[in-house]
Amino acid sequence: MKKGYIQIYTGNGKGKTTAALGLAIRALGAGFKVFIGQFLKNGDYSEIKALGFFSQTHKNKITVEQYGCGKFIKGKPTKEEKAAGRAGYNKILQILKKGDHDLVIVEEGNVAMMCNIISETDLLELMDSKPNHVELVITGRGATERLFEKADLVTEMKEIKHYFKQGVTARAGIEK
């Protein structure tokens, strides 16, 4: 039986989701079963469209679910946002405990924690619930030291320079 590890992609730089989705594509290519749970998101993002193509050619090999209301959270999350996040957390916990997937990605899990939709304890519980063979990836800025200690691999994306500061907004196919 192969060993699965816990990976965290965090930091204020671009590329956390892109790295996780690249890993998902690599896993699919190896015949792995993949589950992606996206916190805070709800909508037809380019990555959702692209992963839809894979779900057509790799039936029952990739599942993507979104646990958000589709709005940027400013201040306190609404009851609806908290409920969507809690449902997502429970689903991911169930997926991990079942152990049917080879790769589970908790997309924007750290940001959901920063927004008080889920807790650091919740993310630690996901890590503890991971079966030995499952690779678990948690993305999003704001990962904590306790998460770093529990993880096997931590990558920090560091912003050096970003065109957003010159007024460039998120572009389809690149940032959204």
Side-chain angles (χ1 to χ4, degrees):
M1 178 193 297
K2 70 175 178 58
K3 165 108 172 89
Y5 294 93
I6 298 171
Q7 301 184 27
I8 294 177
Y9 304 153
T10 193
N12 68 347
K14 182 178 175 345
K16 298 172 288 290
T17 295
T18 304
L21 295 178
L23 184 60
I25 291 168
R26 179 178 284 162
L28 283 171
F32 292 1
K33 191 171 180 183
V34 178
F35 182 87
I36 302 172
Q38 291 188 312
F39 282 97
L40 309 170
K41 294 184 178 178
N42 190 344
D44 202 17
Y45 293 88
S46 297
E47 67 261 25
I48 299 300
K49 292 177 190 175
L51 292 172
F53 297 129
F54 286 104
S55 66
Q56 293 170 15
T57 58
H58 294 78
K59 296 249 186 271
N60 302 319
K61 286 290 189 180
I62 184 163
T63 302
V64 181
E65 293 186 1
Q66 295 179 317
Y67 312 120
C69 296
K71 298 175 280 185
F72 185 76
I73 296 176
K74 292 182 180 178
K76 287 184 146 186
T78 65
K79 288 180 185 175
E80 292 80 18
E81 289 163 333
K82 282 191 168 194
R86 179 55 42 193
Y89 167 77
N90 288 330
K91 178 66 181 274
I92 294 168
L93 185 59
Q94 171 192 359
I95 291 291
L96 282 169
K97 286 183 175 180
K98 198 169 182 188
D100 288 343
H101 293 79
D102 302 291
L103 172 62
V104 175
I105 297 174
V106 182
E107 226 274 286
E108 300 294 3
N110 296 320
V111 178
M113 176 188 63
M114 283 180 17
C115 292
N116 295 312
I117 290 175
I118 60 174
S119 68
E120 178 185 60
T121 302
D122 290 333
L123 288 178
L124 291 167
E125 183 179 9
L126 290 179
M127 294 169 141
D128 288 337
S129 298
K130 181 194 86 58
N132 193 49
H133 71 281
V134 174
E135 194 82 9
L136 175 63
V137 176
I138 301 171
T139 73
R141 60 185 65 216
T144 64
E145 285 298 321
R146 286 182 68 200
L147 297 175
F148 291 169
E149 289 169 12
K150 191 90 172 156
D152 300 295
L153 179 151
V154 177
T155 299
E156 179 181 13
M157 308 297 190
K158 180 180 175 188
E159 180 182 320
I160 306 286
K161 183 178 182 179
H162 204 305
Y163 40 76
F164 281 179
K165 292 182 179 169
Q166 283 91 42
V168 177
T169 58
R171 300 168 295 149
I174 307 298
E175 287 89 23
K176 64 179 183 175

